[in-house]
Amino acid sequence: MLRTPKSAKVSIIQEATSRKFDGGLNVSDSELNLSSRYARDLNNMLVGLDGSLQIRQGCKLFCDLSVFDTHHITGLAYFATYIIAFAHNSDIFAIDGQGTAIKIWSAEIAAAKRAGLTVWSHTHSLTFLEFNGELLISNGNDKPLVITTGLIVDYLADVATGSNINVPIGYLMEKFSNHVIIADGSTIYVSERNAAGTWESDAGAQFVNHFDMKTYVTSGDTTITGLLAFKGYLLVMFQECTIPVQFVEDAAATPKLALTVSPDSIIASYGAISPKAQQDIGDAALSCDIVGVTSIALSRFTKILSPDRPSRFIDPLLQKEIARLSSTTLHDDSFSIYHRKLSMYMLFLPNDHEPYQTASTAYCYRFIDRLNLEAWTKFTGWNWHCGT
């Protein structure tokens, strides 16, 4: 019979886990609760598909528009195989896949197009919308512009008359149910079906209307801060609430286009700081409000939109960034992109308003539901004003 030597000791290691952590900025009460592949504050690193950590991607110069003696870039959009760059002085450039840029809109080009035609005044912030194979641009101060696939630029106008007198002016644009929606203040304006340039009072217009949304606002400011089409709804966002709306077209009714809002569907306490901070990632609509990043998804069983806050673990960091910036700076200078290859929502917050901005921090949310990957990371050392 073998005996256990007296010198031998039995070692017992106790393990305890208080909650599940998916990596990145999802922090815990103690580092002892995290396995070696997780970090309490992940900076300039990327959570891989297998949970490993990788160094974030870098960047390189692709095109330098300073050769045109132009102002700084205030907006970017990818359209018809080109990167469309909008400059502060309202010049517009098209950049091809080799980084070669051509100027497609300027005061000289406008004047040569039609006598008396002028460009926008200096533009600090703008939004883009692709509709019917054309790119619409709006800044909230001037009539919208339109760019064709042939890179021809002009003011958005009714095709039948060539007039843009009834085209509304607004900063926010979205397409929904074959209509273009432009928002200004608390009002949304709806274009004719399949006609971006035809609006109320235009000859032959039928399914057009405008709706003042402020009576639906549950709390906070009544200025619309976001528009996003998602799962059969138009999400009309304010700072502190989101109103899902739908349109009803009835040729026998007056007016022929009506709006429906279910009081039970209004989402309180979830809103938006900027229309450029919203992304539809397929299964969810992401946006940033005054608390953090919100997520709105369609319930599989009830088919009702339900909100969530995937940034809850990093909300203190976001709130610290948001609290030191004015609502105007958040509205104009924050923006987001969705990196489809990485399945990553990237929210960029500036350290100051333009032209005093010297840095921008990117809060990046990598979400792949089927791989159970849900991780936040922070990218620093950048200074971007727009992206695409």
Side-chain angles (χ1 to χ4, degrees):
M1 179 177 177
L2 296 177
R3 295 172 180 263
T4 302
K6 293 182 179 180
S7 60
K9 294 183 180 180
V10 178
S11 175
I12 299 176
I13 300 177
Q14 295 182 347
E15 295 184 358
T17 302
S18 60
R19 68 169 80 98
K20 174 185 174 184
F21 301 97
D22 289 326
L25 289 173
N26 290 344
V27 298
S28 68
D29 299 329
S30 168
E31 291 179 348
L32 299 177
N33 289 334
L34 298 176
S35 62
S36 59
R37 67 179 182 176
Y38 297 136
R40 296 185 70 183
D41 191 343
L42 196 59
N43 194 1
N44 287 323
M45 299 290 288
L46 184 67
V47 179
L49 296 180
D50 59 352
S52 61
L53 299 183
Q54 308 162 6
I55 298 175
R56 74 157 168 86
Q57 68 273 21
C59 55
K60 63 180 181 180
L61 179 64
F62 183 68
C63 177
D64 187 356
L65 296 180
S66 64
V67 296
F68 292 91
D69 191 28
T70 191
H71 295 213
H72 63 272
I73 300 171
T74 61
L76 290 171
Y78 180 74
F79 173 69
T81 74
Y82 290 90
I83 295 175
I84 304 299
F86 196 100
H88 181 252
N89 65 342
S90 298
D91 286 350
I92 303 178
F93 300 86
I95 306 167
D96 65 15
Q98 285 70 49
T100 303
I102 58 172
K103 185 182 293 187
I104 61 175
W105 187 246
S106 66
E108 294 75 20
I109 295 175
K113 192 177 187 68
R114 287 192 303 276
L117 190 62
T118 60
V119 299
W120 288 354
S121 56
H122 284 196
T123 298
H124 170 72
S125 184
L126 60 151
T127 57
F128 296 91
L129 175 68
E130 195 168 339
F131 184 81
N132 271 356
E134 297 178 328
L135 185 66
L136 311 183
I137 314 175
S138 185
N139 67 352
N141 297 313
D142 303 277
K143 296 284 186 175
L145 294 171
V146 60
I147 303 177
T148 68
T149 54
L151 302 181
I152 304 300
V153 185
D154 206 337
Y155 282 89
L156 180 65
D158 180 35
V159 174
T161 64
S163 171
N164 69 348
I165 189 171
N166 295 315
V167 177
I169 295 174
Y171 180 75
L172 296 85
M173 293 188 299
E174 181 60 293
K175 57 184 175 183
F176 177 67
S177 190
N178 299 101
H179 298 267
V180 171
I181 293 88
I182 293 179
D184 179 50
S186 62
T187 302
I188 59 173
Y189 299 86
V190 186
S191 79
E192 178 63 281
R193 182 203 301 158
N194 299 321
T198 305
W199 300 80
E200 282 185 274
S201 301
D202 279 329
Q206 296 187 76
F207 301 108
V208 295
N209 211 335
H210 70 278
F211 308 97
D212 194 339
M213 303 298 299
K214 64 173 175 285
T215 57
Y216 298 102
V217 177
T218 56
S219 63
D221 195 285
T222 58
T223 300
I224 299 172
T225 55
L227 293 174
L228 187 64
F230 179 70
K231 303 296 184 184
Y233 292 90
L234 175 66
L235 303 181
V236 183
M237 298 182 175
F238 300 82
Q239 276 198 348
E240 297 184 32
C241 73
T242 297
I243 303 170
V245 307
Q246 294 176 312
F247 296 149
V248 176
E249 295 180 1
D250 186 354
T254 303
K256 295 179 173 61
L257 180 72
L259 176 143
T260 63
V261 178
S262 171
D264 295 335
S265 68
I266 297 177
I267 304 172
S269 303
Y270 292 82
I273 59 171
S274 169
K276 295 184 291 184
Q278 303 158 17
Q279 297 290 333
D280 178 357
I281 66 171
D283 291 332
L286 298 180
S287 181
C288 180
D289 62 11
I290 57 177
V291 175
V293 173
T294 69
S295 171
I296 296 176
L298 190 66
S299 171
R300 296 178 182 177
F301 301 104
T302 63
K303 302 302 179 182
I304 297 175
L305 295 175
S306 58
D308 189 22
R309 198 170 293 282
S311 66
R312 57 177 55 89
F313 282 127
I314 68 161
D315 280 346
L317 294 175
L318 284 173
Q319 290 161 13
K320 185 178 180 180
E321 295 265 7
I322 292 171
R324 59 184 177 77
L325 299 172
S326 69
S327 58
T328 301
T329 300
L330 291 171
H331 184 272
D332 292 347
D333 299 312
S334 64
F335 71 96
S336 69
I337 60 175
Y338 182 63
H339 196 313
R340 287 187 290 177
K341 285 187 177 180
L342 294 178
S343 299
M344 178 180 286
Y345 168 78
M346 305 177 71
L347 171 67
F348 292 83
L349 296 176
N351 66 337
D352 205 341
H353 67 281
E354 191 70 29
Y356 304 104
Q357 175 183 324
T358 57
S360 58
T361 301
Y363 288 89
C364 306
Y365 176 51
R366 194 171 194 193
F367 174 66
I368 307 176
D369 189 35
R370 294 187 178 183
L371 297 181
N372 198 28
L373 179 60
E374 188 177 0
W376 283 94
T377 183
K378 183 171 62 175
F379 291 172
T380 57
W382 281 347
N383 183 26
W384 309 127
H385 182 72
C386 54
T388 187

